[in-house]
Amino acid sequence: MTIEATTHPQVTRAFTLDSLPSAVRVLAVTARPGQESADLGGPLYAFRRSGASLSLLCLTLGETAAQSTGFTRIEAARPWEIQMAASILGISQVSVASYRDGRLHRYRTSELTGRIQHAISKYSADLVLVVAPETGDIGDAAVARAATAAALLAGVPLAARTRPGVSGAWTVDLGAEAEVARAIQKSAAAAHATQSEALPEMISRVDQLGSMETMRWLVSPARVPGQRIMPG
């Protein structure tokens, strides 16, 4: 399933972050809907405000998630929720695949790699962004493995959002933009109405981050010929 959002990212650099990797077209890859907001919303905001265009590949419909009352057929609702969240975040292209939620680790890595590599080519991405395997679940680890292989095959760097203290990690300070960034991130998360009962916990977690985001390379620019080396 492919959804084309109509939001066009601002291309004028709004601020300078020496710790933000240089990118023109960023592809975020997630295991399930909602991660683009709750987990990657801060970095995606920073990339968009630095002038990059954003695209998203979500590998499942998120059908195994617990849902708030009043909704039926969660697998039908969640792709449209991700469209709304993408519009808020400034993501201009969204693809939603239909791999089984909760079973990504059971698919062949080569199959997931091929799907991610196709998205890299389709959106002409020059940087891929994922949730680091050490901060997510077994599905996120499967995404990270496949994205690493796809990035190496495509010849593009792969960055991951992680937690403070992880070896090789660096921080991105949203600075004066932090308040706006977090407000947009929370609004995007709220677009996932089927997950509204989990929203207060997510907001609390985001508030604790303040202006800081932590990232590390899974495929550094040093491993990609012709790429400029940035943080890490």
Side-chain angles (χ1 to χ4, degrees):
M1 178 178 187
T2 300
I3 304 169
E4 299 295 333
T6 58
T7 301
H8 297 281
Q10 179 176 335
V11 296
T12 302
R13 182 174 292 275
F15 60 91
T16 299
L17 291 174
D18 292 336
S19 57
L20 187 69
S22 177
V24 177
R25 293 172 294 275
V26 176
L27 170 67
V29 183
T30 63
R32 65 195 65 85
Q35 290 184 303
E36 81 294 330
S37 306
D39 297 321
L40 301 180
L44 286 173
Y45 175 87
F47 278 117
R48 182 174 66 87
R49 292 291 285 169
S50 73
S53 63
L54 307 178
S55 55
L56 170 66
L57 168 62
C58 181
L59 290 174
T60 76
L61 300 174
E63 67 271 16
T64 66
Q67 67 182 56
S68 302
T69 58
F71 293 91
T72 58
R73 296 195 61 211
I74 188 172
E75 68 275 13
R78 299 206 74 186
W80 298 110
E81 292 175 346
I82 204 172
Q83 180 188 22
M84 291 185 287
S87 296
I88 294 169
L89 291 168
I91 299 172
S92 53
Q93 297 95 21
V94 178
S95 292
V96 181
S98 56
Y99 294 103
R100 293 286 301 276
D101 188 21
R103 295 178 177 268
L104 283 176
H105 61 290
R106 297 188 178 182
Y107 288 93
R108 292 182 180 273
T109 298
S110 59
E111 181 177 349
L112 300 180
T113 295
R115 184 66 183 83
I116 296 169
Q117 191 177 7
H118 174 76
I120 293 173
S121 176
K122 178 179 180 179
Y123 299 126
S124 301
D126 58 6
L127 186 141
V128 180
L129 178 66
V130 298
V131 175
E134 66 273 6
T135 63
D137 61 18
I138 194 170
D140 298 313
V143 171
R145 284 194 301 272
T148 296
L152 287 169
L153 288 169
V156 299
L158 169 62
R161 180 189 179 274
T162 187
R163 59 175 180 269
V166 171
S167 177
W170 77 89
T171 57
V172 175
D173 189 348
L174 300 174
E177 299 285 339
E179 185 175 353
V180 174
R182 297 308 185 196
I184 290 174
Q185 184 177 8
K186 293 172 189 177
S187 294
H192 293 273
T194 60
Q195 306 300 299
S196 60
E197 291 180 2
L199 186 61
E201 180 181 352
M202 176 268 170
I203 289 175
S204 176
R205 178 162 53 85
V206 168
D207 286 340
Q208 292 176 15
L209 293 173
S211 67
M212 306 304 293
E213 289 286 353
T214 306
M215 301 177 68
R216 74 176 181 94
W217 291 117
L218 298 185
V219 177
S220 74
R223 297 172 65 186
V224 181
Q227 289 286 346
R228 179 183 170 195
I229 300 177
M230 294 297 287

